Amino acid sequence: AQTVTQSQPEMSVQEAETVTLSCTYDTSESDYYLFWYKQPPSRQMILVIRQEAYKQQNATENRFSVNFQKAAKSFSLKISDSQLGDAAMYFCAYRAVTGANNLFFGTGTRLTVIP
Amino acid sequence: NAGVTQTPKFQVLKTGQSMTLQCAQDMNHEYMSWYRQDPGMGLRLIHYSVGAGITDQGEVPNGYNVSRSTTEDFPLRLLSAAPSQTSVYFCASSYSPSGVQETQYFGPGTRLLVL
């Protein structure tokens, strides 16, 4: 069974600085997708970034980038130039390539941005 | 498009009562799913559907029923509510049940309190 672990319940970062959120996962599949979702106080789930396991290149989306280490089963999210609007819960999620579009989530990291 | 809508936004139930959480999408999405979010637990899949007339269980299906009579609607039924079902419930959908680039769209959530 696949599991997703986020070992940092809370993180904080100074505005304009960089922060890295950690995520590890366990799976027996060779191909899969990994995601980072943001959940602000409104509770809306917002997709931040996606990584396909067969791609060696790390995904980037503006100030958000990932460090994907397939052998180590690690998938960290780096937020550069942190902004007040980045404050939220961040969830790492896994999805197998085969089968239905079901997501398996980690327990989340609450990010605080300090002005 | 309204996207994924959920009603009600908030509900209080007494133990043993029944109710239906509504989820609808107007994007002609084949795949729909229900997750519950509990503090410290992340989101966990309850049930999902890969098309009208087809449903299946996720990680935590006990105490919940679903049906999918139309493409647009995917209601979640609690037949006899228990305090352990106090949670925030999210509905999500995607165009295809699988596929490389499928993004799930989440509804705004329903907060349920069972006394």
Side-chain angles (χ1 to χ4, degrees):
Chain A
Q2 46 282 320
T3 57
V4 179
T5 302
Q6 293 179 250
S7 58
Q8 306 156 315
E10 296 183 353
M11 292 283 285
S12 61
V13 62
Q14 207 76 30
E15 194 176 4
E17 297 295 310
T18 296
V19 65
T20 298
L21 308 184
S22 300
C23 173
T24 58
Y25 59 94
D26 188 24
T27 182
S28 58
E29 302 283 338
S30 60
D31 204 5
Y32 44 86
Y33 308 116
L34 297 165
F35 307 85
W36 278 98
Y37 278 87
K38 172 185 178 182
Q39 187 181 45
S42 67
R43 287 206 307 257
Q44 183 69 48
M45 294 292 287
I46 302 165
L47 178 64
V48 174
I49 200 165
R50 166 176 46 209
Q51 175 78 41
E52 289 134 346
Y54 67 88
K55 290 187 176 179
Q56 293 187 345
Q57 186 174 6
N58 289 327
T60 62
E61 288 286 345
N62 301 315
R63 297 182 294 107
F64 299 87
S65 61
V66 299
N67 184 4
F68 173 50
Q69 302 286 331
K70 190 172 184 179
K73 295 182 179 175
S74 170
F75 182 60
S76 60
L77 175 70
K78 186 171 82 171
I79 306 174
S80 303
D81 185 26
S82 297
Q83 300 175 359
L84 295 178
D86 295 333
M89 282 290 288
Y90 286 82
F91 292 97
C92 179
Y94 163 99
R95 195 201 116 195
V97 168
T98 57
N101 193 3
N102 300 335
L103 293 170
F104 293 88
F105 287 86
T107 52
T109 296
R110 182 175 300 281
L111 179 66
T112 301
V113 180
I114 303 166
Chain B
N1 287 349
V4 180
T5 58
Q6 292 184 237
T7 56
K9 291 184 180 179
F10 176 64
Q11 183 72 45
V12 179
L13 286 181
K14 293 182 180 178
T15 297
Q17 285 185 318
S18 63
M19 82 159 294
T20 299
L21 308 186
Q22 301 291 347
C23 174
Q25 51 85 14
D26 61 356
M27 299 174 282
N28 200 31
H29 284 179
E30 288 294 322
Y31 174 89
M32 296 185 75
S33 58
W34 279 101
Y35 295 85
R36 61 178 286 174
Q37 182 179 17
D38 302 297
M41 298 289 290
L43 280 78
R44 292 179 293 167
L45 183 67
I46 304 171
H47 285 285
Y48 67 97
S49 169
V50 298
I54 306 169
T55 63
D56 206 346
Q57 297 180 352
E59 294 178 82
V60 287
N62 292 344
Y64 307 95
N65 282 349
V66 293
S67 61
R68 184 101 179 267
S69 57
T70 68
T71 299
E72 295 77 18
D73 301 297
F74 190 44
L76 179 72
R77 298 184 188 85
L78 286 70
L79 298 179
S80 179
S84 61
Q85 293 179 304
T86 293
S87 189
V88 179
Y89 292 85
F90 288 95
C91 181
S93 72
S94 66
Y95 182 72
S96 170
S98 60
V100 175
Q101 295 292 334
E102 283 308 311
T103 296
Q104 288 205 40
Y105 296 84
F106 283 82
T110 292
R111 185 165 155 249
L112 178 66
L113 176 61
V114 183
L115 301 176

